Amino acid sequence: MLTLKGERVYLRALEPEDLELIYAIENDESVWEVSQTQTPYSRFLIKQYLDNCHKDIYEVKQLRMVICTTAHVAIGFVDLFDFDPKNDKVGLGILILSNQRGQKYGEEALRLIVDYGFKNLNLRQIYANVLEDNLPSINLFEKIGFVAAGLKKDWVLENGTYKNEYLFQLIKDVH
């Protein structure tokens, strides 16, 4: 089985034609809380990002892939960030477009990127940060096998209120 292809979705590299989708998501204030964004992004900055996204994860320490349905419709992104090959770990983020949520696309995409990380990047562990009130994401990560390893108290400020954030870890079984 190919690592980045599932039954209903596949993961692919970013392409220049993804500019408008990235622009829309990065400027959607409803997801800024999760992405720790505070200001909008211009098309110019996103184009520069796309012009450089071909660089190797070992060089730039991050990798963003597009989640597509088998009908070749882009429905979201998975991000690997803070790649640490010395300690065999990476952070993981996932975003499914709001009109595509609840259809198990995220679960399949998450399984694909986890398999890719363990098989192709030789990772020992993958971690994710999830706000405590994001129950769909908590359920998703737990379903894949991630374990809440800690709680960061008052970690994110939103609308004058601090929110706690869980640190989830998935550690590869080496036995």
Side-chain angles (χ1 to χ4, degrees), residues 91-150:
L92 169 64
I94 184 168
L95 181 126
I96 301 291
L97 297 175
S98 58
N99 64 342
Q100 299 293 329
R101 293 180 188 152
Q103 300 181 51
K104 302 206 182 282
Y105 291 136
E107 180 182 339
E108 188 171 1
L110 193 56
R111 289 184 192 282
L112 291 172
I113 197 67
V114 164
D115 286 347
Y116 173 81
F118 287 150
K119 290 176 184 172
N120 296 75
L121 300 176
N122 298 312
L123 295 171
R124 170 86 165 100
Q125 71 171 282
I126 301 171
Y127 66 90
N129 301 302
V130 182
L131 292 175
E132 70 177 346
D133 62 352
N134 188 346
L135 298 180
S137 288
I138 290 171
N139 292 334
L140 173 62
F141 281 100
E142 287 178 339
K143 188 172 190 175
I144 302 299
F146 282 74
V147 175

Side-chain angles (χ1 to χ4, degrees), residues 24-43:
I25 288 174
E26 294 294 351
N27 289 296
D28 179 353
E29 290 184 51
S30 70
V31 296
W32 282 6
E33 173 187 55
V34 175
S35 65
Q36 300 293 307
T37 301
Q38 295 180 346
T39 58
Y41 285 89
S42 68
R43 283 182 177 85

